Amino acid sequence: MKQQGVHPEDAEGTSDAASRPDGPDSPGETPDEARDEAREEVHVDEVEGDEPLLPARVHRPSDLMRLLVGVLAVIVLLGIAAFAHGTTSGLEQDINKGTGQAPDLLIKIAGLASSIAILLVPVAFAIERLIKRDGLRIADGVLAAVLAHGVTLATDLWVAKAAPDSIQEALTQPSPGDIHALTDPVHGYLAPVIAYMTAVGMSRRPRWRAVLWIVLLLDAFSMLVTGYTTPFSIILTVLIGWTVAYGTLYAVGSPNVRPTGRTLMAGLRHVGFHPVSAAREEAPDTSETGDRGRRYFVTLEDGPPLDVTVVDREQQAQGFFYRAWRNLTLRGFATRSSLQSLRQALEQEALLAYAAIAAGANAPKLIATSELGPDAVMLVYEHTGGHTLDSLADEEITDELLRDTWDQVRALQSRRIAHRRLVGDAILVDRSGTVILTDLRVGEIAAGDLLLRMDISQLLVTLGLRVGGERAVASAVSVLGPDAVADCLPMLQPIALSRSTRATLRRLARERAQREREAVLEASRQAKEARLEAGQEAEPVSEKAGKKAVRAQARAEKRAIDEAVEEAREEDLLTQIRHEVLRIRPQAPVEPARLERVRPRTLISFIAGAIGAYFLLTQLTHIEFGPLIANAEWGWVAAAVLFSALSYVAAAMSLLGFVPERVPFLRTVAAQVAGSFVKIVAPAAVGGVALNTRFLQRSGVRPGLAVASVGASQLFGLGCHILMLLSFGYLTGTEKTPSLSPSRTVIAGLLTVAVLVLVVTSVPFLRKFVSTRVRSLFAGVVPRMLDVLQRPQKLVTGIGGMLLLTFCFVMCLDASIRAFGTDSTSISIASVAVVFLAGNALGSAAPTPGGVGAVEATLTVGLIAVGLPKEVAAPAVLLFRLLTLWLPVLPGWLAFNQLTRKGAL
């Protein structure tokens, strides 16, 4: 067991009983008397191992969440005040009517008491905190109060000068003392008090919390009855104070109250133990163990040693955002609650510990629990000892050990207990070889079948990483049976595994890919050397025979590379486990279960799409479509439809121009039409590439060559796109001037590109990232382009297809403009081309499907910038996107299904 050094606070006050004159060996004292005296007079607070220095302040995720909730609540409150004017007025009238009958004496007493208490309570709490030497909290409270006062002043100014009338009426009313004046929208003295009391932590102490609520209720009652405020004003005041307090705490950090080793020793004595020393265990270096608590090995004066786990608020908050994201994106079994109190964490771990032992599984025996102040708890276990599965050597992991591990899992599952974290450091092997399951705090009782199957799949992968898929499956089948193991196959997917296991699988995947690349490079090098040797030994032959020999050598080199790829290809662990299970149970279900509720890409697409839709709606609300459509030139609409249809033929040409192999042209056109459907469900720069690569592979092109062909097409298309953008931009800048000076837009674009290049080359991380991506791109693309250069007809087809594709889209946009505006003739084709190329580039970079939102915004703003009226630009862009994005979805879906049924996709 590794140990760390001594924490400075734990080193203070330590003593050695043997160094006292009247120690246990003093004459005239029995050992029992000496031990009792030592317990009464001196506590041995020795903590072996140097605990890491604790930061003075920590930034709690819970404070950030409360800040966001407070901001959202303020927005909702203002929205209700703005849009529910009748309801707010009725509420104010009901309150005034109900409180108008209150006795004047009661009103005066409540007002006087609240006025005095609102000043005395904060001062009294500050004195109490200063006596206990907790001045940092007072400083936090004062800072929060100052900020809250500033926010109230800004809110008052906004309500008085710029807020809508409905909000002003909801937050203010005529002042009783002066009917020409209005009451304050936010109470400038109450919000700072609320912020102060929240920031100093008064709400976490029951007595002070009760006093706080009494003061607030008295003040609200007296203000409402006397007519100096409104209900919405009071609620807004409370929300501002609460929100500012938590924002301050998260910004500056909260004082760290994590318990030290000395606190632990005192807590153990409080529950009846007599500790001598404690050694801090070194936590495993994984991203999932941060919230498991600090662990100590504690020796006692009498009795066996103990294993103690200390959990505080800061450790519990670690991994908060990861757990929150998992709970949001996965279905209702992802992780434990993101916001869990210390009491809940203590009760959950204790319950799981008792339940696991009752089920017959080997688990650490919990013998005591206790709080270590208001911000930490401890759990005391009997000492187990031993080594984790991760620390065992490969030869120590025997088949008997594997079966014993599965026996423990079977015992848990017999009582419907899910462990939820069966990774290597949660499986402990003691000195006698017995397997003990630890880290039960994230488990779950009365678990459903899904969680139990996820435990099996997780343990299969954990054991497979150490002993291989074959032994892992064989040991599981010998204990659980083939049916139980086969049922876990739908759970055998990365999203269902633990965070550390997924990281390990990704690392192994990178290592496999590296080995495959090295094998391919070595095979290519050997083939080139063999070709050179054959060329040196060959006698001079005719030109025709020489060409045949070159082609034969090229084919031989390709065969050698393909054989090297096949030999170097390795199955990943999940595939190995699936194959082993299917060998035992061929009828086992293999389709992965749908575990994700929402994917990150879907969420980003939804947000970006909503922003784009909002932008379009704001533009379209100012346009009268009735007269616009009645006066539309339908001939230009038909021309736009024709150019849109012709773009799919051009897209097929631009792809096939970089594929030396023979691929059916009409089927390629159908694949481009199917891409119209794929663009709706994936970003434009991703969906088309994946579909074309898949199509080429199904058409007989080898996977590596298919990727290289699509990459060559994309790379060449990017170069053409940039050259055309610069050329048309240059023409746009010179078409209305007698000189040939370039436009300022082109100059600004070139300067921007230059600055980006300088930034990328000067930052090591960015330089390495870009160089790695470019090197991997050119590794496969350049040889493919060399193959294409040997076929001039293919090169002409590819370049002509790219130029034709751009021409079709530019003409479609131009026809859309001419369909709605007679003034569109003043807009040149060069200007339209610049706008389209800029919008298309941004749409390809946008993470939304089809560039929704980004393309519409760019095209509309660009057309307006080149002189087109907004009343024409918005419907023209809408028609263009309708013809190139939305209307092709149905034929794209039909083409996608048809090609899928034929095995072309």
Side-chain angles (χ1 to χ4, degrees):
M1 181 182 302
K2 296 181 180 180
Q3 299 176 358
Q4 301 173 351
V6 180
H7 191 279
E9 295 182 5
D10 299 328
E12 295 176 7
T14 60
S15 60
D16 189 353
S19 64
R20 291 184 295 116
D22 53 347
D25 298 330
S26 299
E29 285 188 313
T30 65
D32 292 337
E33 292 174 348
R35 182 167 57 250
D36 293 339
E37 183 180 353
R39 290 177 183 174
E40 291 177 1
E41 296 181 1
V42 178
H43 295 306
V44 182
D45 289 346
E46 180 181 355
V47 178
E48 300 176 10
D50 189 12
E51 293 188 301
L53 293 175
L54 303 180
R57 289 182 173 271
V58 291
H59 302 274
R60 294 192 177 100
S62 57
D63 292 337
L64 177 60
M65 291 300 299
R66 292 186 176 97
L67 168 64
L68 298 177
V69 170
V71 172
L72 180 62
V74 170
I75 294 174
V76 171
L77 179 69
L78 294 178
I80 294 174
F83 297 105
H85 179 260
T87 303
T88 58
S89 300
L91 179 63
E92 292 177 9
Q93 293 176 2
D94 294 339
I95 292 177
N96 292 333
K97 182 178 179 181
T99 57
Q101 302 176 357
D104 292 339
L105 180 61
L106 177 62
I107 296 174
K108 292 180 180 179
I109 293 176
L112 179 62
S114 63
S115 300
I116 297 174
I118 212 75
L119 298 176
L120 290 183
V121 171
V123 174
F125 187 79
I127 294 174
E128 189 259 351
R129 288 290 90 196
L130 290 175
I131 291 175
K132 295 185 177 182
R133 298 182 179 181
D134 195 7
L136 286 177
R137 291 187 184 273
I138 304 303
D140 295 341
V142 172
L143 177 60
V146 172
L147 295 177
H149 184 66
V151 173
T152 58
L153 292 178
T155 305
D156 288 344
L157 183 62
W158 173 73
V159 172
K161 302 295 184 180
D165 294 338
S166 56
I167 293 181
Q168 190 179 77
E169 293 177 5
L171 297 177
T172 61
Q173 63 181 9
S175 176
D178 185 0
I179 59 175
H180 298 291
L182 296 176
T183 58
D184 294 332
V186 182
H187 301 288
Y189 69 92
L190 186 58
V193 171
I194 295 173
Y196 168 84
M197 292 188 292
T198 304
V200 297
M202 187 183 296
S203 59
R204 291 197 296 267
R205 290 165 172 79
R207 296 180 180 179
W208 287 102
R209 183 172 62 242
V211 173
L212 169 64
W213 280 108
I214 292 174
V215 170
L216 291 178
L217 291 175
L218 279 177
D219 185 76
F221 173 78
S222 61
M223 297 291 288
L224 283 173
V225 171
T226 55
Y228 280 98
T229 191
T230 66
F232 279 86
S233 176
I234 292 178
I235 298 174
L236 181 62
T237 301
V238 174
L239 288 176
I240 288 177
W242 190 71
T243 304
V244 171
Y246 284 113
T248 304
L249 289 178
Y250 184 75
V252 303
S254 302
N256 197 339
V257 292
R258 176 179 292 184
T260 61
R262 187 185 303 177
T263 308
L264 168 65
M265 306 293 270
L268 288 172
R269 286 190 290 268
H270 183 70
V271 293
F273 297 101
H274 305 290
V276 175
S277 64
R280 171 80 182 276
E281 294 185 13
E282 182 179 357
D285 187 16
T286 65
S287 57
E288 290 183 288
T289 57
D291 62 340
R292 289 167 51 197
R294 290 175 291 158
R295 298 184 176 185
Y296 296 87
F297 172 74
V298 179
T299 57
L300 304 178
E301 292 183 7
D302 47 1
L306 304 174
D307 290 329
V308 182
T309 300
V310 177
V311 182
D312 55 57
R313 296 187 187 276
E314 310 313 323
Q315 287 176 311
Q316 192 187 24
Q318 292 184 18
F320 166 80
F321 293 109
Y322 172 75
R323 295 193 301 270
W325 175 250
R326 295 273 289 184
N327 287 331
L328 173 66
T329 56
L330 300 186
R331 301 184 187 274
F333 54 81
T335 56
R336 61 181 171 86
S337 173
S338 301
L339 289 173
Q340 192 179 39
S341 66
L342 284 173
R343 171 63 63 176
Q344 290 174 331
L346 176 68
E347 293 174 350
Q348 181 180 7
E349 185 167 353
L351 177 61
L352 264 296
Y354 293 138
I357 294 176
N362 296 329
K365 184 178 179 181
L366 182 67
I367 57 178
T369 60
S370 177
E371 292 185 350
L372 296 178
D375 298 299
V377 296
M378 73 173 180
L379 299 100
V380 183
Y381 294 92
E382 288 185 352
H383 177 63
T384 53
H387 301 278
T388 63
L389 182 68
D390 287 341
S391 61
L392 292 178
D394 292 342
E395 59 272 12
E396 295 179 301
I397 305 178
T398 62
D399 292 339
E400 182 181 358
L401 180 68
L402 297 178
R403 288 192 295 270
D404 192 8
T405 305
W406 285 112
D407 283 332
Q408 307 311 314
V409 175
R410 182 179 60 180
L412 291 180
Q413 299 210 345
S414 66
R415 301 295 177 86
R416 313 295 296 181
I417 300 175
H419 188 282
R420 303 299 306 278
R421 197 179 171 277
L422 287 170
V423 295
D425 61 350
I427 301 172
L428 190 69
V429 182
D430 66 8
R431 297 177 182 86
S432 63
T434 303
V435 175
I436 302 173
L437 299 182
T438 63
D439 292 341
L440 289 163
R441 63 176 305 198
V442 297
E444 191 168 320
I445 63 171
D449 291 336
L450 205 61
L451 289 178
L452 300 181
R453 291 157 61 194
M454 289 175 66
D455 266 1
I456 297 176
S457 62
Q458 173 65 59
L459 186 55
L460 278 174
V461 178
T462 298
L463 298 180
L465 289 172
R466 296 303 313 272
V467 301
E470 183 178 356
R471 287 184 62 190
V473 173
S475 62
V477 171
S478 66
V479 176
L480 303 178
D483 294 332
V485 178
D487 288 341
C488 80
L489 280 189
M491 302 294 109
L492 203 62
Q493 48 183 309
I495 194 66
L497 304 176
S498 68
R499 194 176 186 180
S500 58
T501 304
R502 295 199 304 273
T504 303
L505 292 177
R506 287 194 297 268
R507 177 178 56 81
L508 294 177
R510 290 193 297 268
E511 293 175 357
R512 284 196 309 272
Q514 180 63 26
R515 287 194 293 269
E516 292 180 5
R517 286 194 295 268
E518 291 175 355
V520 170
L521 293 175
E522 179 63 22
S524 177
R525 184 185 63 80
Q526 293 178 0
K528 290 179 180 179
E529 290 179 355
R531 185 174 58 185
L532 291 175
E533 292 176 359
Q536 292 175 357
E537 297 176 357
E539 296 180 357
V541 294
S542 63
E543 182 179 354
K544 184 176 181 180
K547 291 182 178 179
K548 288 183 179 180
V550 170
R551 286 196 292 268
Q553 291 173 356
R555 287 194 296 269
E557 183 178 351
K558 289 182 179 180
R559 282 197 303 271
I561 292 176
D562 292 341
E563 292 174 359
V565 170
E566 291 297 329
E567 292 177 1
R569 183 171 290 119
E570 304 175 27
E571 287 186 336
D572 63 278
L573 179 61
L574 299 185
T575 303
Q576 294 176 21
I577 294 175
R578 291 191 188 96
H579 289 170
E580 289 296 325
V581 175
L582 291 175
R583 188 174 58 83
I584 299 172
R585 277 288 185 270
Q587 69 276 16
V590 294
E591 186 68 23
R594 176 68 186 275
L595 303 180
E596 289 179 293
R597 180 186 292 118
V598 58
R599 298 179 179 180
R601 181 178 298 170
T602 304
L603 186 61
I604 294 173
S605 300
F606 175 79
I607 295 174
I611 295 174
Y614 173 78
F615 175 82
L616 283 181
L617 290 176
T618 56
Q619 296 293 323
L620 298 178
T621 52
H622 303 288
I623 301 174
E624 297 181 2
F625 282 95
L628 193 65
I629 295 176
N631 298 327
E633 295 287 342
W634 292 101
W636 285 111
V637 175
V641 173
L642 179 62
F643 285 120
S644 176
L646 186 60
S647 65
Y648 297 100
V649 178
M653 293 172 57
S654 65
L655 175 64
L656 295 181
F658 295 90
V659 182
E661 293 80 3
R662 184 178 296 275
V663 179
F665 181 77
L666 293 180
R667 181 168 289 187
T668 307
V669 175
Q672 305 313 304
V673 176
S676 301
F677 168 69
V678 177
K679 285 194 301 186
I680 298 299
V681 295
V686 177
V689 172
L691 183 137
N692 286 329
T693 303
R694 178 72 171 175
F695 170 73
L696 293 179
Q697 292 177 7
R698 289 292 187 175
S699 299
V701 182
R702 287 191 296 272
L705 298 180
V707 173
S709 295
V710 176
S713 175
Q714 294 289 320
L715 183 62
F716 203 90
L718 176 62
C720 290
H721 193 99
I722 295 175
L723 289 176
M724 286 188 290
L725 181 59
L726 295 177
S727 300
F728 284 116
Y730 184 86
L731 293 176
T732 303
T734 59
E735 61 185 3
K736 295 183 179 181
T737 60
S739 64
L740 294 179
S741 59
S743 66
R744 294 181 179 179
T745 304
V746 176
I747 295 176
L750 292 175
L751 291 176
T752 303
V753 172
V755 170
L756 290 177
V757 171
L758 289 175
V759 171
V760 170
T761 54
S762 61
V763 179
F765 169 76
L766 294 177
R767 184 172 61 251
K768 182 179 179 181
F769 177 82
V770 173
S771 61
T772 303
R773 295 300 185 272
V774 172
R775 191 182 301 114
S776 61
L777 176 63
F778 276 89
V781 169
V782 172
R784 194 60 165 169
M785 294 187 71
L786 293 177
D787 292 339
V788 173
L789 291 176
Q790 298 177 5
R791 296 171 173 82
Q793 184 180 358
K794 284 284 186 180
L795 187 61
V796 171
T797 302
I799 298 176
M802 290 178 183
L803 296 177
L804 180 61
L805 182 62
T806 302
F807 173 80
C808 290
F809 281 128
V810 171
M811 295 307 298
C812 181
L813 179 58
D814 184 72
S816 301
I817 294 171
R818 295 174 185 275
F820 289 104
T822 57
D823 296 335
S824 59
T825 55
S826 60
I827 306 299
S828 66
I829 295 294
S831 300
V832 175
V834 170
V835 172
F836 164 74
L837 292 170
N840 188 51
L842 187 58
S844 299
T848 59
V852 174
V855 174
E856 288 82 356
T858 305
L859 293 180
T860 305
V861 173
L863 291 177
I864 295 174
V866 296
L868 197 65
K870 182 173 64 175
E871 293 75 12
V872 177
V877 170
L878 185 62
L879 175 61
F880 173 75
R881 294 291 281 172
L882 188 67
L883 296 178
T884 57
L885 179 66
W886 299 109
L887 287 182
V889 170
L890 180 57
W893 178 74
L894 296 174
F896 185 85
N897 288 333
Q898 182 69 15
L899 293 175
T900 302
R901 283 195 297 268
K902 291 183 177 181
L905 284 180

